[in-house]
Amino acid sequence: MSISSQYDPTSVEDKWYQYWLDHNYFHATPQTGKEAYTIVIPPPNVTGVLHMGHMLNNTIQDVLIRKARMEGKEACWIPGTDHASIATEAKVVRMLREQGIKKSDLSREEFMKHAWEWKEKYGGIILEQLKKLGASCDWERTGFTMDQEYHDAVIRVFVDLYNKGYIYRGLRMINWDCEALTTISNEEVIYKEDGEKSILYSVKYQIKDSDEFVTIATQRPETIMGDTGIAVNPKDERFRHLIGKKALVPFINREIPIIGDDYVELDFGTGCLKVTPAHDPNDYEIGQRHNLEVIDTINLDGTLNEKCEIDKYVGQDRFKVRKMIIGDLKAANILVGEEEFVTKIGRSERTNSVVEPKLSLQWFIKMKDISRKAHKAVMDDEIQLYPSKFKNTYNHWMENVRDWCISRQLWWGQRIPAYYYGEGEDDFVVAETIAEAVELAKEKSGNSALQESDLRQDPDVLDTWASSNIWPIETFGGFSDASFDKKKGKIDKKKNPELDFFYPTETLVTAPEILFFWVARMIIAGYEYLDEKPFKNVYLTGIVRDKQRRKMSKSLGNSPDPLVLIKQYGADGVRTGMLFSSPAGNDLLFDEKLCEQGRNFSNKIWNAFRLVKGLEISEENQPNINKQAIEWFKARFNKTLTEIEDHFAKFRMSDALMSVYKLVWNDFCSWYLEWIKPEYGQPIDRQTYDNTLVIFEQVLKLLHPFMPFISEELWHQIKERSESEALIISSWPEAEQWDENLLKQVDFLFEVTAGIRNIRNSKGISPKENLELVTSSKDVERVSASLEKLGNVSVVNSDDKPANSFSFVIGADEYHIPASENVDVEAERKKMEEELNYTKGFMQSVSKKLANERFVSGAPEQVVANERKKLADAEAKIKTIEESLANL
RNA sequence: GGAGUGUUAGCUCAGUUGGUUUAGAGCACUGCCUUGACAGGGCAGGGGUCGUUGGUUCGAAUCCAAUACACUCCACCA
């Protein structure tokens, strides 16, 4: 037989993935009598391409889902993509710009056509890439957050929440991009790390009916005409007397109140703050507290409007006006200071223009009441977060939860179903369809002549998270007419067999960054519509970083291409590489060496198989030592499996993998196979051979969730299998009782073996040279046959101590290997003295403990007995070593 | 500014309610091995006063306090 000595994943992986697909193993359906195990994928952006974060995240999900499938559960992993309104729209706009098309030249419909074309062309690439990783998703259920049904569900939820009184319209300070003429989210505002240099100007405002002045500090003098107040800290002795008086805005002489507010810092600037509610978020809040007027002096394109009351500024850009007004202030002799300072200026990620804070009417969800159950569910461990430290973060967020602004000034997304019939602030209705809207509008306005053409739909779309929050529900059609009760605003699970079977889902695997954006909001939706959690566990992965702890990013170019890695190391290698070093919640310091380690592991398994498959079989009886080896490995296997289950129960994926890794590499390859391996050229007895194949199969099962491809390949190489016998749908082993004494016995066997090998190593004796091992140990008798094989020795049980020999001590027994040449007595003596010293030191610390009366009386009996045993063992050992020393 | 987490071997991390030899693993490192499944390998080995200082206890990596350092999240100075 000629099998390559190196495992080649390339052909194997595509073959088995196709095989799994062909046999529909990934597809799940509701089944009576079967337990469901559902995972919904965190839907990646349609425009996305696979990066290392996805690799980690989806590997974990696949491990969980494959294990569940093998455990006989109806395992359902729902894949899909998110329309990601901001990110996608930005990409489409950029693409159009490259073609010379401006978004502003397009109608909404035309733009959407381009966007859909883009989505059809590039959307979902990432899902294809996931297949290379081995992801066993139920592809028939692939979803998209802008599918027609999904869209309808999102709108339905909006209307429902509006009718329940959770949604309202309100003023809010938003980030405005004056070049792109759009709102941008906080995430799209970037601040230079070290801030930017700016100048803080001090300007004198006259106090009304007085010669006194108050000096304020500002870095935006062009907003002076929008001032509607001046604030000082009420604790500030310097200015307290001014509170309640009025000041005059330079040039335009508007009277504005001087107010006291804690927000003002005593030691920054001049201690006096001009308040411009229309152009600064903090000023807006101060304005709210003190009922200040809001005067918006800046147009959408960043020029000043007529409200600034100074003709020459009107129509000029805000930065030009800044220069102009500085000159004018100087000329008027009221600019009294210019000080350079470093501040953080927000710039638009896309246009790099300075973000203009702007007040506008937006849609909000009231969060306090609606999130109460979701808060409690996590605090009561109804939903478990892994690692649990995120419970704190979650609690903190929930306790201070703020209303959620859900409108976005974009086109790509679910358009807000609000329809305006008049100019008044309250002249609108909210409805699922325009037909319903007309009816509602007639009612509300009292104008029965209203028609569809009289209504204008709100131009904004919903925040992406306001649609992905129903992902675990709507992927099963929860909001369809069949199961959603509009009057109650609740879903009746019993009327939806899919939802009834698969919901709540089992585990959500996602990144901590979106704990609030997404996870919390899914929990809220789950309780609002089903009075039930959407998932039982939330596994929060870390961030994938490079070796220097830097985040992986395109601009740094430090992120490897996952598909290249898969090509180099195999999907199994990359999967295990990612998992080797990723405890939940900890950042993963990615190093290609980890993938190399994963690939080496594949190779190790491959070669273990080559050895077994290459054996000749004889019909001779099974030797006892093989029987012992098999019994030992079974015990070892069961113990390890118990550990693995424990790790899985605690979501310690790395540890679970490491247990499998050590079981395969150390226990199976290094010990078991060496133990049963016949001498060169000799055959193996059939019974041992068959047993070994069974063991190999069990091991492959444990490997499968982590390394699906190589395990499936070898599974079929062991013997021909029918399609109902594929490894992916085989049964996960159940841990059985094991004999702990047997394990101890064999540990002892290994220890003696290591002792022998150590002597070979240090004395330069070849492993091939058969040696004599003389000992008086009684323990060795039961394992002597195995010891002779593993250590390549002949055991002589005798109380005699051969004169010219190397020796080592285990427990209280001494082992001698007679030497063919003269032994260096001094070296032996030195070695023994070192061991003697160590043991004596150890004994001392134990006897010190035992000499302490409060320990003996205070500590539990078990602990004291244990210490006594340690002391006795150490004493025996010391005696043995001392005797040997005397003999030398 | 508010909240939280961490600090154990060169690196990444375990160490479960204080007691199982004088603290473990993987990788890295050192020595030897052209061993017959695998050099992408084998065997053996070295390496840590558990950030620092106090305290509680018969007993502390583990509990408490202070301190230093690192990181994360939230809110952010006109």
Side-chain angles (χ1 to χ4, degrees):
Chain A
M1 144 159 351
S2 77
I3 315 176
S4 159
S5 73
Q6 287 191 3
Y7 169 60
D8 174 23
T10 42
S11 57
V12 168
E13 295 185 350
D14 288 344
K15 177 178 75 182
W16 290 113
Y17 201 83
Q18 195 54 47
Y19 181 88
W20 295 326
L21 283 178
D22 289 345
H23 294 89
N24 215 18
Y25 293 138
F26 302 161
H27 183 55
T29 46
Q31 311 229 350
T32 41
K34 247 184 147 184
E35 199 184 324
Y37 189 104
T38 317
I39 294 180
V40 290
I41 205 169
N45 293 358
V46 257
T47 60
V49 288
L50 201 63
H51 64 240
M52 297 308 288
H54 297 124
M55 295 284 281
L56 173 64
N57 183 263
N58 288 290
T59 298
I60 291 167
Q61 292 176 71
D62 197 45
V63 170
L64 294 173
I65 210 83
R66 281 181 186 270
K67 178 168 185 277
R69 193 178 290 122
M70 288 173 79
E71 284 169 337
K73 294 173 187 160
E74 191 64 12
C76 182
W77 183 11
I78 307 246
T81 46
D82 186 13
H83 68 281
S85 73
I86 296 170
T88 308
E89 180 151 329
K91 282 205 173 171
V92 174
V93 167
R94 194 182 311 145
M95 173 201 71
L96 289 173
R97 201 189 305 140
E98 279 161 16
Q99 296 172 11
I101 305 171
K102 276 200 263 173
K103 183 189 166 192
S104 50
D105 292 343
L106 295 175
S107 71
R108 187 173 189 132
E109 286 67 33
E110 284 165 341
F111 178 82
M112 287 301 274
K113 211 178 142 227
H114 284 294
W116 277 106
E117 273 169 18
W118 161 280
K119 187 259 168 190
E120 293 310 325
K121 195 164 167 195
Y122 300 105
I125 288 181
I126 197 165
L127 298 182
E128 290 308 309
Q129 293 177 318
L130 280 180
K131 294 179 179 172
K132 293 278 171 215
L133 184 66
S136 59
C137 304
D138 187 350
W139 299 110
E140 289 176 38
R141 296 177 179 275
T142 303
F144 175 52
T145 55
M146 259 170 63
D147 283 339
Q148 188 61 51
E149 297 80 29
Y150 201 101
H151 167 272
D152 293 349
V154 172
I155 298 304
R156 188 163 269 194
V157 167
F158 184 98
V159 173
D160 178 67
L161 290 179
Y162 177 78
N163 290 337
K164 284 173 177 164
Y166 286 124
I167 289 183
Y168 68 94
R169 257 181 120 206
L171 271 179
R172 153 107 163 206
M173 194 61 81
I174 44 120
N175 306 301
W176 182 259
D177 181 332
C178 295
E179 269 182 52
L181 296 180
T182 177
T183 310
I184 54 178
S185 67
N186 288 338
E187 289 70 36
E188 292 170 297
V189 179
I190 46 175
Y191 301 91
K192 273 201 195 137
E193 214 158 289
D194 307 322
E196 291 188 45
K197 270 191 198 161
S198 180
I199 298 172
L200 193 59
Y201 301 95
S202 300
V203 181
K204 291 203 295 188
Y205 285 35
Q206 194 178 3
I207 308 284
K208 192 190 167 198
D209 302 329
S210 149
D211 291 337
E212 241 187 302
F213 284 89
V214 59
T215 306
I216 59 89
T218 181
Q219 57 167 326
R220 299 200 60 193
E222 72 276 15
T223 63
I224 282 176
M225 289 76 70
D227 288 356
T228 56
I230 285 184
V232 298
N233 194 307
K235 286 187 217 118
D236 196 333
E237 307 267 331
R238 296 172 294 175
F239 307 116
R240 200 160 36 195
H241 64 283
L242 295 175
I243 296 174
K245 296 193 172 162
K246 302 224 161 174
L248 299 174
V249 176
F251 308 131
I252 59 174
N253 293 324
R254 179 188 301 132
E255 287 180 21
I256 55 173
I258 297 172
I259 53 170
D261 197 290
D262 289 337
Y263 172 79
V264 184
E265 306 261 336
L266 296 167
D267 51 3
F268 189 88
T270 60
C272 297
L273 170 70
K274 75 185 198 64
V275 186
T276 323
H279 300 299
D280 183 279
N282 295 306
D283 289 15
Y284 178 66
E285 279 180 28
I286 296 172
Q288 291 274 293
R289 283 198 286 274
H290 300 275
N291 273 323
L292 298 181
E293 204 183 335
V294 178
I295 300 174
D296 188 343
T297 58
I298 298 178
N299 290 318
L300 295 179
D301 63 359
T303 58
L304 270 74
N305 62 30
E306 68 287 348
K307 286 199 189 131
C308 78
E309 296 182 33
I310 299 174
D311 289 346
K312 64 175 178 179
Y313 297 158
V314 174
Q316 303 292 339
D317 184 76
R318 54 197 167 140
F319 293 108
K320 193 170 173 206
V321 174
R322 184 178 301 177
K323 279 187 195 141
M324 292 166 73
I325 198 168
I326 289 165
D328 294 340
L329 290 168
K330 271 185 189 157
N333 223 7
I334 49 176
L335 181 70
V336 294
E338 289 181 57
E339 185 193 341
E340 269 202 3
F341 82 121
V342 174
T343 185
K344 281 181 186 167
I345 294 176
R347 287 177 181 274
S348 165
E349 189 179 49
R350 273 180 279 155
T351 60
N352 199 38
S353 72
V354 175
V355 167
E356 187 63 43
K358 190 152 192 61
L359 269 181
S360 82
L361 269 177
Q362 303 287 327
W363 292 90
F364 292 86
I365 297 185
K366 281 186 208 159
M367 294 298 278
K368 196 114 201 125
D369 292 337
I370 201 172
S371 59
R372 206 156 272 147
K373 283 183 191 162
H375 185 192
K376 193 166 179 295
V378 170
M379 297 328 288
D380 295 350
D381 296 322
E382 178 72 15
I383 295 171
Q384 293 267 3
L385 304 187
Y386 296 91
S388 57
K389 65 177 176 187
F390 286 108
K391 214 168 133 177
N392 278 327
T393 323
Y394 184 88
N395 184 39
H396 187 252
W397 187 77
M398 278 297 192
E399 278 179 351
N400 302 290
V401 70
R402 298 163 62 177
D403 284 358
W404 175 16
C405 177
I406 51 170
S407 42
R408 296 288 182 270
Q409 289 66 47
L410 298 163
W411 283 345
W412 177 248
Q414 287 94 358
R415 193 166 173 184
I416 289 174
Y419 298 85
Y420 303 87
Y421 55 80
E423 296 307 316
E425 220 172 89
D426 200 35
D427 293 346
F428 67 88
V429 294
V430 169
E432 283 183 41
T433 63
I434 190 157
E436 284 172 33
V438 170
E439 293 312 309
L440 287 173
K442 282 181 187 166
E443 219 172 288
K444 192 167 168 184
S445 65
N447 176 358
S448 59
L450 278 177
Q451 295 180 5
E452 284 190 13
S453 57
D454 297 324
L455 298 187
R456 284 170 290 109
Q457 186 175 358
D458 195 297
D460 290 356
V461 298
L462 285 166
D463 179 13
T464 300
W465 305 108
S467 60
S468 51
N469 64 335
I470 56 169
W471 182 245
I473 303 175
E474 187 47 31
T475 41
F476 299 107
F479 289 97
S480 64
D481 289 332
S483 50
F484 183 65
D485 184 330
K486 269 196 201 183
K487 275 193 196 122
K488 288 188 195 150
K490 293 275 177 196
I491 290 167
D492 185 353
K493 232 168 71 161
K494 293 287 162 229
K495 292 184 178 158
N496 181 330
E498 293 261 310
L499 195 65
D500 192 35
F501 185 74
F502 291 113
Y503 189 99
T505 71
E506 196 72 22
T507 303
L508 180 78
V509 181
T510 191
E513 296 107 278
I514 53 175
L515 183 59
F516 310 124
F517 281 138
W518 191 45
V519 180
R521 285 157 186 175
M522 281 192 287
I523 301 175
I524 292 169
Y527 281 100
E528 177 62 26
Y529 288 106
L530 285 145
D531 292 314
E532 205 178 358
K533 60 192 165 194
F535 27 73
K536 296 173 190 152
N537 309 296
V538 181
Y539 178 104
L540 296 152
T541 63
I543 297 166
V544 182
R545 296 173 182 275
D546 68 8
K547 272 186 283 185
Q548 295 153 55
R549 280 198 183 274
R550 298 177 306 180
K551 263 191 183 180
M552 298 236 164
S553 77
K554 267 188 207 158
S555 50
L556 278 172
N558 59 348
S559 177
D561 179 343
L563 295 180
V564 172
L565 286 177
I566 288 176
K567 232 175 220 156
Q568 270 177 307
Y569 301 104
D572 291 332
V574 178
R575 288 165 67 110
T576 45
M578 305 282 324
L579 282 183
F580 269 133
S581 165
S582 57
N586 271 27
D587 288 355
L588 171 96
L589 271 59
F590 182 79
D591 185 340
E592 238 180 271
K593 279 206 165 140
L594 291 168
C595 293
E596 201 179 312
Q597 195 186 344
R599 179 202 59 186
N600 293 354
F601 187 37
S602 304
N603 205 44
K604 185 74 184 175
I605 300 163
W606 180 255
N607 278 291
F609 177 75
R610 278 180 70 214
L611 168 67
V612 175
K613 260 307 192 196
L615 292 171
E616 302 261 331
I617 301 160
S618 80
E619 298 305 328
E620 279 167 44
N621 284 337
Q622 183 178 40
N624 263 335
I625 62 165
N626 288 4
K627 204 183 263 175
Q628 192 170 32
I630 290 163
E631 276 171 21
W632 168 76
F633 188 82
K634 283 183 179 163
R636 188 73 231 163
F637 179 92
N638 282 313
K639 185 171 184 174
T640 306
L641 180 53
T642 308
E643 282 167 23
I644 290 169
E645 294 293 3
D646 186 50
H647 288 141
F648 268 111
K650 293 171 181 154
F651 287 91
R652 304 171 122 175
M653 313 293 282
S654 286
D655 293 335
L657 170 62
M658 191 47 74
S659 292
V660 178
Y661 181 81
K662 285 195 275 191
L663 178 75
V664 174
W665 203 305
N666 299 339
D667 297 327
F668 185 65
C669 295
S670 296
W671 288 112
Y672 176 80
L673 289 178
E674 291 302 322
W675 203 340
I676 59 140
K677 189 159 103 182
E679 276 184 48
Y680 182 54
Q682 296 301 305
I684 193 166
D685 66 278
R686 178 167 294 283
Q687 207 176 340
T688 302
Y689 181 78
D690 290 345
N691 271 311
T692 302
L693 286 187
V694 171
I695 285 173
F696 213 121
E697 287 179 339
Q698 294 291 95
V699 167
L700 288 177
K701 285 181 176 182
L702 298 194
L703 282 167
H704 184 77
F706 301 101
M707 310 179 92
F709 294 109
I710 190 174
S711 56
E712 187 77 78
E713 168 70 17
L714 294 180
W715 178 259
H716 291 265
Q717 286 210 19
I718 284 177
K719 63 178 183 209
E720 287 273 318
R721 316 261 180 184
S722 72
E723 64 178 65
S724 62
E725 295 171 331
L727 180 57
I728 187 177
I729 50 160
S730 68
S731 61
W732 183 256
E734 259 178 66
E736 291 163 17
Q737 284 298 312
W738 67 90
D739 181 355
E740 190 62 40
N741 279 329
L742 176 61
L743 291 180
K744 279 205 183 113
Q745 216 179 83
V746 173
D747 278 346
F748 163 72
L749 162 67
F750 291 170
E751 210 179 334
V752 179
T753 307
I756 296 164
R757 287 172 179 169
N758 190 357
I759 288 197
R760 283 186 195 278
N761 250 318
S762 55
K763 309 301 172 201
I765 306 168
S766 160
K768 283 186 251 184
E769 191 181 330
N770 188 273
L771 302 171
E772 203 170 78
L773 181 73
V774 183
T775 180
S776 57
S777 164
K778 297 284 168 258
D779 298 327
V780 96
E781 275 172 37
R782 267 182 298 186
V783 293
S784 60
S786 294
L787 183 59
E788 291 188 331
K789 170 93 179 272
L790 289 168
N792 194 19
V793 289
S794 311
V795 176
V796 178
N797 216 282
S798 157
D799 288 340
D800 294 343
K801 293 178 181 175
N804 189 45
S805 64
F806 305 112
S807 50
F808 57 94
V809 179
I810 288 168
D813 294 316
E814 207 173 3
Y815 300 79
H816 309 274
I817 293 173
S820 52
E821 287 164 32
N822 278 342
V823 169
D824 179 348
V825 181
E826 269 321 298
E828 287 296 293
R829 184 190 298 280
K830 208 179 149 205
K831 199 180 83 183
M832 279 193 191
E833 274 170 353
E834 269 171 22
E835 188 153 14
L836 184 66
N837 275 340
Y838 176 89
T839 317
K840 275 186 171 166
F842 170 66
M843 190 185 79
Q844 227 167 24
S845 83
V846 178
S847 25
K848 213 169 112 191
K849 239 189 234 183
L850 285 166
N852 186 333
E853 214 172 291
R854 293 167 78 182
F855 169 70
V856 180
S857 58
E861 241 174 89
Q862 181 83 46
V863 175
V864 178
N866 219 328
E867 292 299 310
R868 291 225 162 91
K869 185 171 181 305
K870 282 200 259 179
L871 183 65
D873 289 352
E875 276 172 343
K877 186 165 189 173
I878 286 167
K879 201 176 147 221
T880 308
I881 300 174
E882 277 175 342
E883 274 174 24
S884 310
L885 272 171
N887 266 350
L888 282 173

PDB file of all heavy atoms in Angstrom, chain A residues 630-641:
ATOM      1  N   ILE A 630      -5.116  -1.988  25.361  1.00  0.00           N
ATOM      2  CA  ILE A 630      -6.470  -1.631  24.925  1.00  0.00           C
ATOM      3  C   ILE A 630      -7.324  -1.205  26.111  1.00  0.00           C
ATOM      4  O   ILE A 630      -8.014  -0.181  26.073  1.00  0.00           O
ATOM      5  CB  ILE A 630      -7.113  -2.832  24.193  1.00  0.00           C
ATOM      6  CG1 ILE A 630      -6.401  -3.034  22.852  1.00  0.00           C
ATOM      7  CG2 ILE A 630      -8.607  -2.607  23.980  1.00  0.00           C
ATOM      8  CD1 ILE A 630      -6.637  -4.390  22.220  1.00  0.00           C
ATOM      9  N   GLU A 631      -7.232  -1.982  27.188  1.00  0.00           N
ATOM     10  CA  GLU A 631      -8.012  -1.617  28.375  1.00  0.00           C
ATOM     11  C   GLU A 631      -7.623  -0.249  28.894  1.00  0.00           C
ATOM     12  O   GLU A 631      -8.450   0.557  29.278  1.00  0.00           O
ATOM     13  CB  GLU A 631      -7.824  -2.664  29.475  1.00  0.00           C
ATOM     14  CG  GLU A 631      -8.749  -3.837  29.287  1.00  0.00           C
ATOM     15  CD  GLU A 631      -8.421  -4.970  30.255  1.00  0.00           C
ATOM     16  OE1 GLU A 631      -7.768  -4.702  31.288  1.00  0.00           O
ATOM     17  OE2 GLU A 631      -8.803  -6.115  29.944  1.00  0.00           O
ATOM     18  N   TRP A 632      -6.301  -0.051  28.889  1.00  0.00           N
ATOM     19  CA  TRP A 632      -5.832   1.261  29.371  1.00  0.00           C
ATOM     20  C   TRP A 632      -6.359   2.380  28.493  1.00  0.00           C
ATOM     21  O   TRP A 632      -6.886   3.368  28.978  1.00  0.00           O
ATOM     22  CB  TRP A 632      -4.300   1.322  29.387  1.00  0.00           C
ATOM     23  CG  TRP A 632      -3.821   2.731  29.584  1.00  0.00           C
ATOM     24  CD1 TRP A 632      -3.825   3.434  30.747  1.00  0.00           C
ATOM     25  CD2 TRP A 632      -3.336   3.627  28.573  1.00  0.00           C
ATOM     26  NE1 TRP A 632      -3.381   4.715  30.527  1.00  0.00           N
ATOM     27  CE2 TRP A 632      -3.066   4.853  29.205  1.00  0.00           C
ATOM     28  CE3 TRP A 632      -3.104   3.506  27.203  1.00  0.00           C
ATOM     29  CZ2 TRP A 632      -2.574   5.961  28.517  1.00  0.00           C
ATOM     30  CZ3 TRP A 632      -2.618   4.597  26.513  1.00  0.00           C
ATOM     31  CH2 TRP A 632      -2.353   5.812  27.154  1.00  0.00           C
ATOM     32  N   PHE A 633      -6.254   2.200  27.173  1.00  0.00           N
ATOM     33  CA  PHE A 633      -6.673   3.305  26.311  1.00  0.00           C
ATOM     34  C   PHE A 633      -8.166   3.596  26.470  1.00  0.00           C
ATOM     35  O   PHE A 633      -8.580   4.749  26.482  1.00  0.00           O
ATOM     36  CB  PHE A 633      -6.352   3.064  24.836  1.00  0.00           C
ATOM     37  CG  PHE A 633      -6.613   4.297  24.014  1.00  0.00           C
ATOM     38  CD1 PHE A 633      -5.658   5.307  23.955  1.00  0.00           C
ATOM     39  CD2 PHE A 633      -7.835   4.506  23.386  1.00  0.00           C
ATOM     40  CE1 PHE A 633      -5.902   6.493  23.260  1.00  0.00           C
ATOM     41  CE2 PHE A 633      -8.089   5.693  22.685  1.00  0.00           C
ATOM     42  CZ  PHE A 633      -7.124   6.673  22.624  1.00  0.00           C
ATOM     43  N   LYS A 634      -8.945   2.543  26.632  1.00  0.00           N
ATOM     44  CA  LYS A 634     -10.380   2.774  26.832  1.00  0.00           C
ATOM     45  C   LYS A 634     -10.642   3.606  28.089  1.00  0.00           C
ATOM     46  O   LYS A 634     -11.468   4.516  28.077  1.00  0.00           O
ATOM     47  CB  LYS A 634     -11.121   1.439  26.921  1.00  0.00           C
ATOM     48  CG  LYS A 634     -11.309   0.792  25.554  1.00  0.00           C
ATOM     49  CD  LYS A 634     -12.104  -0.476  25.669  1.00  0.00           C
ATOM     50  CE  LYS A 634     -12.320  -1.105  24.307  1.00  0.00           C
ATOM     51  NZ  LYS A 634     -12.721  -2.520  24.430  1.00  0.00           N
ATOM     52  N   ALA A 635      -9.922   3.271  29.139  1.00  0.00           N
ATOM     53  CA  ALA A 635     -10.085   4.030  30.381  1.00  0.00           C
ATOM     54  C   ALA A 635      -9.679   5.483  30.162  1.00  0.00           C
ATOM     55  O   ALA A 635     -10.376   6.425  30.552  1.00  0.00           O
ATOM     56  CB  ALA A 635      -9.247   3.397  31.490  1.00  0.00           C
ATOM     57  N   ARG A 636      -8.564   5.646  29.515  1.00  0.00           N
ATOM     58  CA  ARG A 636      -8.024   6.964  29.223  1.00  0.00           C
ATOM     59  C   ARG A 636      -9.022   7.762  28.371  1.00  0.00           C
ATOM     60  O   ARG A 636      -9.267   8.943  28.585  1.00  0.00           O
ATOM     61  CB  ARG A 636      -6.711   6.750  28.452  1.00  0.00           C
ATOM     62  CG  ARG A 636      -5.860   7.913  28.194  1.00  0.00           C
ATOM     63  CD  ARG A 636      -5.165   8.387  29.423  1.00  0.00           C
ATOM     64  NE  ARG A 636      -5.429   9.800  29.483  1.00  0.00           N
ATOM     65  CZ  ARG A 636      -5.275  10.560  30.537  1.00  0.00           C
ATOM     66  NH1 ARG A 636      -4.834  10.033  31.662  1.00  0.00           N
ATOM     67  NH2 ARG A 636      -5.554  11.824  30.495  1.00  0.00           N
ATOM     68  N   PHE A 637      -9.575   7.074  27.386  1.00  0.00           N
ATOM     69  CA  PHE A 637     -10.546   7.701  26.486  1.00  0.00           C
ATOM     70  C   PHE A 637     -11.764   8.194  27.254  1.00  0.00           C
ATOM     71  O   PHE A 637     -12.209   9.324  27.094  1.00  0.00           O
ATOM     72  CB  PHE A 637     -10.968   6.685  25.416  1.00  0.00           C
ATOM     73  CG  PHE A 637     -11.991   7.191  24.437  1.00  0.00           C
ATOM     74  CD1 PHE A 637     -11.585   7.784  23.258  1.00  0.00           C
ATOM     75  CD2 PHE A 637     -13.347   7.069  24.694  1.00  0.00           C
ATOM     76  CE1 PHE A 637     -12.513   8.266  22.346  1.00  0.00           C
ATOM     77  CE2 PHE A 637     -14.292   7.548  23.784  1.00  0.00           C
ATOM     78  CZ  PHE A 637     -13.873   8.136  22.605  1.00  0.00           C
ATOM     79  N   ASN A 638     -12.275   7.330  28.113  1.00  0.00           N
ATOM     80  CA  ASN A 638     -13.466   7.711  28.864  1.00  0.00           C
ATOM     81  C   ASN A 638     -13.205   8.864  29.823  1.00  0.00           C
ATOM     82  O   ASN A 638     -14.040   9.739  29.990  1.00  0.00           O
ATOM     83  CB  ASN A 638     -14.019   6.501  29.623  1.00  0.00           C
ATOM     84  CG  ASN A 638     -14.782   5.589  28.690  1.00  0.00           C
ATOM     85  OD1 ASN A 638     -15.614   6.039  27.903  1.00  0.00           O
ATOM     86  ND2 ASN A 638     -14.462   4.297  28.729  1.00  0.00           N
ATOM     87  N   LYS A 639     -12.037   8.839  30.417  1.00  0.00           N
ATOM     88  CA  LYS A 639     -11.714   9.933  31.321  1.00  0.00           C
ATOM     89  C   LYS A 639     -11.596  11.239  30.535  1.00  0.00           C
ATOM     90  O   LYS A 639     -12.136  12.271  30.943  1.00  0.00           O
ATOM     91  CB  LYS A 639     -10.403   9.640  32.052  1.00  0.00           C
ATOM     92  CG  LYS A 639     -10.094  10.687  33.092  1.00  0.00           C
ATOM     93  CD  LYS A 639      -8.928  10.321  33.986  1.00  0.00           C
ATOM     94  CE  LYS A 639      -8.770  11.391  35.056  1.00  0.00           C
ATOM     95  NZ  LYS A 639      -7.744  11.029  36.028  1.00  0.00           N
ATOM     96  N   THR A 640     -10.902  11.172  29.405  1.00  0.00           N
ATOM     97  CA  THR A 640     -10.738  12.378  28.594  1.00  0.00           C
ATOM     98  C   THR A 640     -12.081  12.873  28.072  1.00  0.00           C
ATOM     99  O   THR A 640     -12.360  14.076  28.065  1.00  0.00           O
ATOM    100  CB  THR A 640      -9.801  12.099  27.405  1.00  0.00           C
ATOM    101  OG1 THR A 640      -8.586  11.562  27.908  1.00  0.00           O
ATOM    102  CG2 THR A 640      -9.511  13.370  26.626  1.00  0.00           C
ATOM    103  N   LEU A 641     -12.914  11.946  27.639  1.00  0.00           N
ATOM    104  CA  LEU A 641     -14.226  12.346  27.129  1.00  0.00           C
ATOM    105  C   LEU A 641     -15.022  13.077  28.209  1.00  0.00           C
ATOM    106  O   LEU A 641     -15.691  14.073  27.936  1.00  0.00           O
ATOM    107  CB  LEU A 641     -14.986  11.110  26.626  1.00  0.00           C
ATOM    108  CG  LEU A 641     -16.381  11.352  26.063  1.00  0.00           C
ATOM    109  CD1 LEU A 641     -16.382  12.418  24.986  1.00  0.00           C
ATOM    110  CD2 LEU A 641     -16.967  10.060  25.528  1.00  0.00           C
TER     111      LEU A 641
END
